[in-house]
Amino acid sequence: MSSGDVTFRNFLAALPTPGRWLLATTAFQVLGRGLTLPFTIIYLHEVRHLSLDVAGAMMALIGAVALVFTPLAGTLTDRWGARAMVIIGSSAQVIGVGLLAFAETVPEVTVAMFFIGICNAGGWSAFNVLIASIVDGPLRQQYFGINFALINLGIGVGGVIGGVFVDVDRPETFTTIFLIDAVCMLIPIALMLGPLRAVHGRSEVPPEEADGPKVTYLSLLRRPGVANLVLIGLVFAFVGYGQMEGGFPAFARGVSEVSTRVIGWAFALNTLVIVLFQFAVLRRMTGHRRTRVMMVMAAIWAASWLILGSTGLFSGTAAAATMVLVYHALFACGETLLQPTLPAITNDLAPAHLRGRYNALGAAAFQLGAVVAPLSAGFLLRHDLSVAFIAILVAGCALLALFALRLEHQISPAVNGVPDPAPEPAR
């Protein structure tokens, strides 16, 4: 498809049948995630009465567990296939959110977060490998972007439902949304065991490399561009989704002083922006350097965090609530730029038989950022350091742009989303 042909109908027509089933998997599983994502730290702090520091630590535990197990998950993805790892990760998520629905003590929450961390270790990166094994070329970048829009559609719809339904004075409402999340995660398991059972997502090692030196994660980090990809993933998680899950809800409740309903609507607005603009962004970015797109995204995110920080001047007012919504809308604009680029670069750069480990490196960096983000947010916000919190995130956005610029000089134009320049004619 050319850049002008990026529509959902044309995209579906170009997809092989397994790709369509995979999209259905995304749509189902994230609906339950949307119910719980904006409210987990609120649930731990205001319903289960854990201190903000402890609640932040519990959120960080998910990333810590994933960080420990992600290298193993990446290796197993290359050996067993991505489909098997998606099944394992989804099963762990079912157990984790099912336990969290009834957890009342720190040890019980810890066990629940351990299983959710197992899912994060293998499930999401393996899902990217499945995508890369089904589609290639420009269609791959489009798939990552559209898949992201569907993820946000499910999260947004779930966020709206959750924001209206949950009540901190009725703990059973939180139990209900976590159980629904568990049920939703059973659907991708069923699809992997049914229509997608023939898609294993595994590539054989080329004969010329079979007897070569053993591939280690350290040797991968020495390959051109890989280390910068890892740094981008780390900072991206810290200033992005790590803070969206932990820092933003805590800031919005404690500093902006808005209601859980406003937080739910903010996530919904985030989704609406992504769903409405993702196709337009895909059309505009086709043929442009993916690293330059990342730099634009970093500037947009910096502006969004500054807007959120300004809500502290109007705490508890309609102005603060409005600015929280504006923050999420602007943040979403940046998301539409990043999600089609980073996974596409990773999977275009990786040899087919090493995609599991390349994606695992990216996932490990993401998990490390997800560990540090809620811990730092919990500490800074509990000690009334909201200005420092925002300043650190803006500085992180500047680092993100710098790493993207460095990456541009280490990867080929094709991996960066533009055609290789034609050679000059001989004179």
Side-chain angles (χ1 to χ4, degrees), residues 32-57:
R33 182 68 173 139
L35 283 171
T36 59
L37 173 65
F39 309 109
T40 301
I41 196 165
I42 296 171
Y43 167 69
L44 296 177
H45 179 52
E46 298 189 34
V47 177
R48 299 309 183 191
H49 307 297
L50 305 184
S51 71
L52 198 55
D53 277 352
V54 173

Side-chain angles (χ1 to χ4, degrees), residues 28-29 31-33 35-36 97-98 101 161 165 173-187:
F28 285 124
Q29 67 182 345
L31 179 61
R33 182 68 173 139
L35 283 171
T36 59
V97 295
I161 296 171
F165 179 71
T173 60
F174 286 88
T175 298
T176 300
I177 63 172
F178 283 110
L179 290 179
I180 293 174
D181 190 4
V183 171
C184 288
M185 290 302 295
L186 293 174
I187 296 173

Side-chain angles (χ1 to χ4, degrees), residues 47-357:
V47 177
R48 299 309 183 191
H49 307 297
L50 305 184
S51 71
L52 198 55
D53 277 352
V54 173
M58 290 295 100
M59 297 292 289
L61 180 61
I62 298 174
V65 171
L67 184 62
V68 170
F69 286 99
T70 289
L72 174 62
T75 301
L76 293 179
T77 298
D78 287 331
R79 291 180 182 175
W80 295 353
R83 172 181 161 274
M85 295 307 296
V86 169
I87 293 172
I88 292 171
S90 299
S91 301
Q93 179 78 4
V94 170
I95 296 171
V97 295
L99 292 174
L100 194 58
F102 302 100
E104 296 183 354
T105 65
V106 170
E108 291 170 347
V109 173
T110 299
V111 173
M113 295 306 195
F114 177 85
F115 279 100
I116 296 173
I118 292 294
C119 173
N120 287 6
W124 291 108
S125 60
F127 197 86
N128 282 348
V129 176
L130 271 182
I131 293 172
S133 69
I134 292 173
V135 295
D136 56 16
L139 192 64
R140 180 180 292 166
Q141 176 172 292
Q142 293 161 12
Y143 195 112
F144 280 120
I146 293 166
N147 184 70
F148 175 66
L150 284 177
I151 287 173
N152 277 271
L153 180 60
I155 289 177
V157 171
V160 171
I161 296 171
V164 172
F165 179 71
V166 297
D167 185 345
V168 294
D169 295 320
R170 294 189 296 138
E172 66 275 10
T173 60
F174 286 88
T175 298
T176 300
I177 63 172
F178 283 110
L179 290 179
I180 293 174
D181 190 4
V183 171
C184 288
M185 290 302 295
L186 293 174
I187 296 173
I189 297 174
L191 290 176
M192 293 293 162
L193 295 174
L196 293 173
R197 61 185 179 277
V199 182
H200 53 71
R202 182 180 64 252
S203 297
E204 299 298 327
V205 179
E208 63 271 17
E209 296 188 26
D211 298 324
K214 182 180 179 181
V215 176
T216 65
Y217 282 103
L218 185 59
S219 68
L220 292 183
L221 284 171
R222 296 193 183 105
R223 298 188 178 193
V226 176
N228 265 308
L229 268 178
V230 170
L231 289 172
I232 289 171
L234 172 62
V235 179
F236 153 60
F238 178 76
V239 303
Y241 294 113
Q243 299 297 354
M244 279 261 286
E245 294 187 24
F248 162 70
F251 191 101
R253 288 288 285 171
V255 179
S256 310
E257 296 181 8
V258 300
S259 68
T260 56
R261 182 165 296 183
V262 169
I263 293 172
W265 280 110
F267 276 90
L269 181 59
N270 177 283
T271 295
L272 182 63
V273 169
I274 290 169
V275 172
L276 289 179
F277 292 104
Q278 186 67 79
F279 281 100
V281 168
L282 286 170
R283 284 193 289 267
R284 292 295 300 272
M285 67 182 286
T286 298
H288 293 278
R289 290 182 178 89
R290 293 164 176 167
T291 48
R292 301 293 175 87
V293 174
M294 288 184 190
M295 294 178 208
V296 174
M297 181 279 305
I300 292 173
W301 274 9
S304 70
W305 284 117
L306 287 171
I307 289 172
L308 182 67
S310 300
T311 62
L313 302 174
F314 313 96
S315 300
T317 66
T322 301
M323 292 171 72
V324 165
L325 296 176
V326 171
Y327 152 79
H328 243 303
L330 193 57
F331 193 92
C333 292
E335 291 177 86
T336 63
L337 297 173
L338 183 64
Q339 286 297 338
T341 54
L342 188 58
I345 290 176
T346 301
N347 285 280
D348 285 351
L349 185 63
H353 66 289
L354 295 176
R355 282 196 188 118
R357 275 163 276 193

